[in-house]
Amino acid sequence: METGSVTTPFGQRPMTLGMLASQKAASELQADQSVDKWKIYRSLCAAKPLLGVTDRALAVLNALLSFYPKNVLSEENGLVVFPSNEQLSLRSHGMAEQTIRRHLAVLVEAGLIIRKDSPNGKRYARRAKEGEVAEAFGFSLAPLIVRAEEIERLASEVAAERLHMQRLREQLSLCRRDVAKLIETAMEEQLAGDWETTFAYFRELVGSIPRTATAEQLSTALETMETLRDDITSRLETLLKAKKTDGNHDQNERHIHNSNPDSTFDLEPAFETKQGANSEFMIEPKTVASTRKQKSDAGRIARVQSQAANDRPDLKSFPLGLVLQACPDMVSYGPGGSIANWRELMAAAVVVRGMLGVSESAYEEAAATMGPENAATVMACILERGGHINSAGGYLRDLTRRAERGEFSIGPMLMSLVRARGGGTRRAG
């Protein structure tokens, strides 16, 4: 076996436990083990981020491999190469000898080659009478055979991670395009809704993505962007249904009757806002003119609400971090004065509901219509702007009715509060 017993470096070079471990592993090399030197080299190039080696160190290893006479590394053919630094420089595109020595040390520390120094530190081979190499001093390539499976596995992991990152970037790029064009369409068609605020929120999301984002950061950004796209799509679909419904109002209106004259909305005072309230936060929906003129017709509202309850897709919840950034006052009402997850936010919302005088039925109706996360988010927003709202319960019921008709979106409300605090979406990384 070429590795023989433990060998220590020549001169002032120190011996390390890593070198000892590499030599120990190489000593366990089986006689029938072999590997294609260029195949393992390609795997090394792929796995270099996990092995801690640089491109130039791999260039030196490439030069070392070129001195091995066979394409297949095996103990039968010997595993020690012994070129001089001058010869290595010629096959490393003229790399300086001092640089070559530094990269050889990197390869040794990474456990990819083993030093087998001669008594005087020179690299040479002693041949037998038949001309075969009896003993050689230089660098052993045995670790490449011993670690072949590990190197292949690391290369596969790097390739899988690269593919995962590529797919995340592709999906994020497509989602960004969808959101931008959907907002552009809504603005060009002058559809009802605060699309400028939605576009501002979209730009802040795009700006929060670092140039060198990690897979986790890309995944989070993609999830948030998909939520925004689903919300916009839901609003546009609802507006299209409303337009189709309005086209048949003159024919159908005389046949509609109010089947629920005893409204439960009287549990709270009518919704009012105090003077000086933020108009962006209130988000007055821009519905079609016929719908606005017919608000007093209870039968028509009941019909629209019934259709929306059956056809409208559920509102999507926004990231908890964004909610707490927009509504920091809510944190004080969480268990122990903090909120770490959605369950704690919903528990805080129940406390705030009672404090603001919102009836249990109003909150349950909001949760059933918007979803428990969105209902808790709305309560956090109402708490944040409580000084501008006369009746929190009436306002919650009004938002619930709008959500049933697909005329309410939480995103603009949250971004209005973020801007009111003088901040924006926090950048990742």
Side-chain angles (χ1 to χ4, degrees):
M1 183 175 294
E2 291 287 353
T3 53
S5 59
V6 173
T7 60
T8 57
F10 169 78
Q12 297 180 353
R13 297 191 191 103
M15 180 67 180
T16 66
L17 292 177
M19 295 179 186
L20 183 61
S22 297
Q23 294 184 30
K24 173 63 175 175
S27 67
E28 298 175 358
L29 179 65
Q30 302 298 319
D32 59 345
Q33 284 185 273
S34 63
V35 65
D36 185 288
K37 65 179 182 180
W38 299 122
K39 180 180 178 182
I40 196 64
Y41 178 74
R42 287 192 295 270
S43 298
L44 279 170
C45 292
K48 66 181 179 180
L50 300 181
L51 291 170
V53 293
T54 62
D55 293 339
R56 303 200 75 185
L58 288 175
V60 173
L61 179 61
N62 180 283
L64 281 175
L65 290 173
S66 69
F67 285 98
Y68 191 79
K70 305 289 185 178
N71 283 333
V72 177
L73 297 176
S74 67
E75 188 179 8
E76 180 183 359
N77 299 320
L79 291 171
V80 176
V81 290
F82 41 91
S84 66
N85 286 342
E86 182 181 359
Q87 291 173 319
L88 283 175
S89 178
L90 291 175
R91 298 197 187 185
S92 301
H93 308 288
M95 189 181 298
E97 291 188 15
Q98 184 178 1
T99 305
I100 287 177
R101 284 194 292 268
R102 185 170 66 250
H103 292 306
L104 285 172
V106 171
L107 293 171
V108 172
E109 291 175 4
L112 298 178
I113 60 176
I114 296 175
R115 288 186 185 276
K116 188 178 180 184
D117 289 345
S118 65
N120 62 2
K122 301 295 183 178
R123 301 171 201 153
Y124 59 88
R126 190 173 285 121
R127 298 182 181 274
K129 293 181 179 181
E130 295 80 6
E132 297 179 354
V133 175
E135 188 173 14
F137 297 97
F139 297 100
S140 172
L141 304 176
L144 297 181
I145 303 177
V146 175
R147 301 182 62 185
E149 291 186 4
E150 175 195 356
I151 293 170
E152 294 284 354
R153 176 178 55 80
L154 293 176
S156 299
E157 290 179 6
V158 171
E161 178 66 14
R162 186 184 297 113
L163 179 60
H164 178 56
M165 291 283 289
Q166 180 181 351
R167 288 176 176 172
L168 283 176
R169 290 193 182 97
E170 289 176 351
Q171 292 173 7
L172 183 58
S173 179
L174 290 173
C175 194
R176 284 174 56 179
R177 184 183 69 188
D178 293 343
V179 171
K181 294 204 170 187
L182 287 172
I183 295 176
E184 180 183 0
T185 300
M187 288 181 171
E188 290 180 353
E189 298 292 335
Q190 298 182 348
L191 299 178
D194 191 357
W195 298 107
E196 292 183 359
T197 301
T198 304
F199 181 74
Y201 174 58
F202 164 67
R203 293 307 307 168
E204 290 178 356
L205 285 180
V206 173
S208 69
I209 305 172
R211 286 190 175 184
T212 55
T214 63
E216 182 179 359
Q217 290 171 333
L218 288 176
S219 180
T220 301
L222 176 61
E223 181 180 355
T224 305
M225 196 70 69
E226 287 177 339
T227 299
L228 178 61
R229 181 182 61 185
D230 294 344
D231 179 61
I232 294 173
T233 303
S234 174
R235 290 159 61 187
L236 292 177
E237 290 176 350
T238 302
L239 289 171
L240 289 175
K241 291 176 183 177
K243 280 188 175 183
K244 292 180 181 179
T245 303
D246 291 337
N248 296 324
H249 279 332
D250 294 338
Q251 299 178 11
N252 299 334
E253 205 169 40
R254 69 187 63 184
H255 301 293
I256 300 174
H257 302 283
N258 185 6
S259 61
N260 186 19
D262 298 326
S263 175
T264 60
F265 297 156
D266 294 333
L267 292 174
E268 286 88 8
F271 163 61
E272 297 177 358
T273 59
K274 295 184 180 179
Q275 190 173 5
N278 188 334
S279 59
E280 268 189 331
F281 175 76
M282 299 313 167
I283 311 176
E284 181 67 24
K286 299 176 184 177
T287 55
V288 291
S290 59
T291 303
R292 192 179 291 277
K293 292 194 298 182
Q294 297 291 336
K295 272 189 174 182
S296 59
D297 189 341
R300 178 181 174 187
I301 292 177
R303 180 177 60 81
V304 173
Q305 289 178 347
S306 176
Q307 180 179 355
N310 292 329
D311 299 335
R312 182 188 61 81
D314 293 335
L315 291 170
K316 301 294 183 181
S317 59
F318 284 80
L320 179 62
L322 177 61
V323 175
L324 297 180
Q325 182 185 357
C327 310
D329 292 348
M330 195 69 170
V331 177
S332 303
Y333 297 91
S338 64
I339 295 177
N341 51 54
W342 279 107
R343 179 171 297 181
E344 292 181 354
L345 178 66
M346 289 186 281
V350 173
V351 176
V352 170
R353 175 195 67 75
M355 184 187 71
L356 296 180
V358 177
S359 68
E360 184 176 354
S361 62
Y363 185 72
E364 289 179 352
E365 183 181 357
T369 301
M370 306 178 189
E373 292 88 355
N374 285 327
T377 300
V378 171
M379 286 305 306
C381 293
I382 293 175
L383 173 66
E384 198 70 24
R385 300 290 294 177
H388 299 287
I389 301 174
N390 281 335
S391 171
Y395 182 53
L396 181 62
R397 286 197 184 275
D398 183 69
L399 293 183
T400 302
R401 291 197 299 270
R402 295 179 189 181
E404 287 177 344
R405 299 193 296 269
E407 298 172 357
F408 170 62
S409 178
I410 296 177
M413 174 185 284
L414 288 174
M415 293 313 303
S416 173
L417 288 172
V418 170
R419 288 195 301 273
R421 301 185 62 83
T425 304
R426 289 177 291 185
R427 289 182 176 270

